[in-house]
Amino acid sequence: MAFTFSPSIRNSISWPTMLVPDMPDINISLRNKGIYKGKRNINLRDLTKANVASPSLPLIAPPTPEERPGITHDCHHHHHVAWTSIPQERWEGELQVQGQIPLWLEGTYLRNGPGMWHIGDYNFRHLFDGYATLVRLGFRNGRLVAGHRQIESEAYRAAKKNKKICYREFSEVPKAANFLAYVGELASLFSGASLTDNANTGVVKLGDGRVVCLTETQKGSIVIDPETLETVGKFEYSDSLGGLIHSAHPIVTDEEFLTLLPDLVRAGYLVVRMEPGTNERRVIGRVNCRGGPAPGWVHSFPVTQHYVVVPEMPLRYCAQNLLKAEPTPLYKFEWHPESRAFMHVMCKTSGKIVASVEVPLFVTFHFINAYEEQDEDGRVTAIIADCCEHNSDTTILDRLRLQNLRSFNGEDVLPDARVGRFRIPLDGSPYGTLDAALEPNEHGRGMDMCSINPNYLGKKYRYAYACGAQRPCNFPNTLTKLDFELKKAKNWHEEGAVPSEPFFVARPGATEEDDGVVISIVSEKNGEGFALVLDGSTFEEIARAKFPYGLPYGLHGCWVPKE
């Protein structure tokens, strides 16, 4: 697609049929929405600290290849658009659809993720460091309006203003001017003041309608407007639980919000619940770690209908690495295989720990789902918990450095992964098991970024959707439908394309688990990109729509149904 703009009017943008300011509203607005709780009406904005949002950003013309970061003047040697900073802060327009979007698909898909990996002339080092870019796909009447916008975190605004990193990101640390400044920065680290609020990991719709972008720092919880993508303000917890970090992936339903708070002082985890319409977390119970000098990393965790499963991974938080000015091979973590690995099961109602078993060593970012295994009399005998497991190989963290992602030369360097299936017995046995739920070659021995039909959360399920691999590759490059009953996988792949998380949306009124669609945003090797819609059952493509330019790789999304 060709772009035209006047060099003297850099705040204008022109392309055929793309900007549609008069397009009928296809999303819900939460700006003034109130909820009824008890005998008073609570305005959700009263629960948001609105000190983050900035004035509306102007639309700007796409940069020339010479201006675009990460691209050289030689058109034959450039970074894949998946690993290239977003070329402008904001865009919105209607996309022309090839194929047919189901008319029942009414609502908004939001995807969050790092989208800007440079400030000035400084290039970030790791995928997880990038400043958050929120992408929207709005579906209505078979039409698709798309947009993206930078999340206006304090970290992002400060970096833009000062032309340098001002907060601690995943692998980046602000450069201290002198030793005294370094000592002051360490003091602010212990208070949490220097930790980033760059909410670049996930986005969730709370039961009360608020939409919140998240990362692993608690201060990185930011409310956004799903219609405009405007940064509304900080989501500040009103309780006194404290802490600096939490699981980047809470369990969110219309009824509740569950998450884990790692305790770095007395190694363990608080399991907490938050009711819709509040900002107050209440403790369900506590799990004390059974091994290691610190709690294991809990990027995510699973639940069943009656239990919360707390993983204790031997990849553990490390305060010493957090204090260092330069990243270590495992960044903020250390690998402690001698500390062993455990899975804990807590009753949601009582907070009682009903099982705590040792399991084989494992490394996972993302759990897929969990459910309760029953005997013929209906008694729960075990918990089954599935995850994207990296064969207890920690090198996956370093493989996600941008230098590695940008330097793919055709060699097969992606570490192997599988669907790891834990079985946690509830009969008092001291050990659980970990096996592959299906043959890893079914999905190319690559596995991450998963979703399921949300109606099966915590229940026995058959299907999952994830990113797999077609080898050789240096990053997951397929969309994969997993069938745990047949132990088979279907894969979607296009040469050179990098798809983001496949997100399943169930058809309203569906009775079959896979009756719905799978949405993904795909970055192409030629610098372009498109939104993709697959049939959830057949896993065949039913629609795609090209963006005016390729978007960088993103992480996790959520669905906001049309009211």
Side-chain angles (χ1 to χ4, degrees):
M1 177 170 292
F3 300 94
T4 62
F5 59 89
S6 168
S8 62
I9 310 177
R10 291 295 295 170
N11 286 338
S12 67
I13 188 166
S14 173
W15 52 76
T17 72
M18 279 295 171
L19 277 178
V20 286
D22 296 324
M23 179 69 181
D25 175 27
I26 66 169
N27 297 290
I28 62 172
S29 175
L30 305 179
R31 289 173 179 248
N32 299 308
K33 183 176 179 180
I35 60 171
Y36 186 78
K37 188 174 181 66
K39 293 186 177 181
R40 63 190 183 94
N41 193 56
I42 301 174
N43 193 307
L44 295 182
R45 279 190 177 259
D46 295 338
L47 302 176
T48 302
K49 184 177 180 182
N51 68 341
V52 179
S54 68
S56 294
L57 300 170
L59 293 176
I60 60 175
T64 63
E66 289 77 12
E67 295 172 322
R68 191 174 296 181
I71 298 182
T72 69
H73 296 291
D74 182 352
C75 65
H76 298 292
H77 297 87
H78 62 275
H79 300 328
H80 196 294
V81 70
W83 323 119
T84 303
S85 291
I86 195 80
Q88 61 187 79
E89 290 182 304
R90 181 185 177 193
W91 174 82
E92 183 178 28
E94 183 175 7
L95 304 185
Q96 299 207 352
V97 176
Q98 302 173 30
Q100 188 170 8
I101 295 172
L103 295 179
W104 61 260
L105 189 63
E106 297 260 321
T108 298
Y109 169 67
L110 297 171
R111 189 201 73 177
N112 192 9
M116 183 174 289
W117 290 291
H118 78 288
I119 285 294
D121 295 329
Y122 185 79
N123 290 308
F124 297 171
R125 285 174 280 204
H126 200 277
L127 171 65
F128 298 160
D129 288 324
Y131 292 118
T133 300
L134 196 61
V135 180
R136 183 191 67 182
L137 301 177
F139 297 90
R140 186 175 184 183
N141 296 328
R143 300 171 70 180
L144 175 56
V145 169
H148 69 76
R149 188 166 181 167
Q150 295 300 114
I151 296 175
E152 293 278 295
S153 62
E154 291 176 358
Y156 176 64
R157 290 193 301 154
K160 281 204 306 178
K161 178 181 178 180
N162 298 290
K163 306 299 182 186
K164 64 178 182 180
I165 298 166
C166 300
Y167 291 84
R168 285 177 172 258
E169 304 295 339
F170 180 79
S171 75
E172 301 288 346
V173 176
K175 304 302 179 185
N178 51 54
F179 178 73
L180 287 178
Y182 174 68
V183 173
E185 203 276 332
L186 288 183
S188 66
L189 170 62
F190 287 112
S191 70
S194 70
L195 291 178
T196 188
D197 66 337
N198 176 24
N200 69 356
T201 305
V203 55
V204 297
K205 184 184 79 68
L206 304 184
D208 55 42
R210 287 177 291 176
V211 177
V212 183
C213 294
L214 298 163
T215 188
E216 293 197 347
T217 65
Q218 291 189 34
K219 66 187 289 189
S221 303
I222 296 178
V223 180
I224 62 95
D225 186 321
E227 177 185 352
T228 65
L229 303 186
E230 173 193 3
T231 299
V232 176
K234 285 285 188 71
F235 185 100
E236 294 208 337
Y237 299 97
S238 60
D239 52 68
S240 58
L241 294 179
L244 302 178
I245 55 177
H246 58 184
S247 171
H249 294 284
I251 301 295
V252 181
T253 68
D254 287 341
E255 289 74 39
E256 63 184 358
F257 173 108
L258 299 169
T259 194
L260 303 183
L261 308 183
D263 185 341
L264 302 182
V265 178
R266 294 188 305 123
Y269 313 91
L270 288 181
V271 182
V272 301
R273 173 191 287 117
M274 186 171 66
E275 300 295 327
T278 76
N279 289 33
E280 182 181 2
R281 300 162 300 181
R282 296 182 180 273
V283 176
I284 298 175
R286 176 185 167 90
V287 172
N288 292 319
C289 289
R290 290 180 54 185
W297 187 21
V298 283
H299 185 72
S300 69
F301 65 99
V303 299
T304 71
Q305 290 182 284
H306 302 100
Y307 302 103
V308 177
V309 181
V310 180
E312 186 181 340
M313 186 164 58
L315 183 63
R316 298 181 181 271
Y317 296 98
C318 177
Q320 292 87 347
N321 286 353
L322 187 63
L323 294 173
K324 292 179 180 177
E326 290 296 322
T328 69
L330 291 180
Y331 302 93
K332 313 305 182 191
F333 313 105
E334 275 189 341
W335 180 241
H336 287 278
E338 76 287 350
S339 73
R340 300 174 295 166
F342 304 91
M343 297 289 279
H344 312 277
V345 180
M346 177 182 290
C347 174
K348 283 184 183 180
T349 304
S350 67
K352 179 183 177 182
I353 298 172
V354 300
S356 180
V357 303
E358 183 177 349
V359 294
L361 301 182
F362 68 98
V363 169
T364 184
F365 299 161
H366 300 116
F367 279 86
I368 302 172
N369 196 22
Y371 59 90
E372 297 160 16
E373 186 178 77
Q374 298 180 347
D375 62 17
E376 60 275 9
D377 296 321
R379 291 173 296 198
V380 178
T381 57
I383 302 296
I384 305 299
D386 294 340
C387 69
C388 303
E389 205 277 311
H390 297 277
N391 294 293
S392 66
D393 181 358
T394 62
T395 60
I396 184 62
L397 267 176
D398 208 45
R399 292 293 183 187
L400 297 180
R401 284 189 299 135
L402 289 167
Q403 176 185 347
N404 293 333
L405 297 174
R406 290 169 174 167
S407 60
F408 180 57
N409 60 6
E411 295 183 7
D412 190 21
V413 294
L414 177 69
D416 285 357
R418 59 179 176 168
V419 178
R421 172 159 288 185
F422 292 95
R423 186 179 185 278
I424 308 166
L426 300 186
D427 61 1
S429 300
Y431 299 104
T433 60
L434 171 60
D435 299 295
L438 74 168
E439 168 55 49
N441 283 319
E442 281 286 321
H443 49 80
R445 306 185 321 281
M447 181 53 44
D448 219 329
M449 313 305 288
C450 45
S451 73
I452 64 168
N453 183 329
N455 296 318
Y456 288 77
L457 175 68
K459 303 175 184 177
K460 187 173 178 59
Y461 71 122
R462 176 175 176 177
Y463 302 109
Y465 303 88
C467 289
Q470 180 159 307
R471 307 277 178 164
C473 60
N474 69 337
F475 193 80
N477 58 3
T478 72
L479 298 173
T480 298
K481 178 184 179 180
L482 304 165
D483 185 332
F484 294 126
E485 184 175 299
L486 297 181
K487 298 188 181 301
K488 292 290 183 180
K490 294 181 181 179
N491 298 287
W492 176 95
H493 173 75
E494 283 195 3
E495 182 63 31
V498 178
S500 65
E501 175 187 68
F503 192 88
F504 181 85
V505 180
R507 183 179 64 82
T511 57
E512 297 297 324
E513 182 181 344
D514 59 351
D515 186 355
V517 298
V518 173
I519 301 170
S520 180
I521 294 174
V522 181
S523 304
E524 297 181 276
K525 66 178 180 180
N526 62 1
E528 298 181 352
F530 56 93
L532 178 69
V533 182
L534 303 177
D535 183 284
S537 178
T538 65
F539 216 55
E540 298 293 326
E541 178 178 331
I542 57 177
R544 72 169 63 189
K546 275 195 173 294
F547 296 112
Y549 48 83
L551 297 176
Y553 181 77
L555 297 177
H556 304 285
C558 76
W559 178 251
V560 182
K562 180 179 178 295
E563 289 191 333

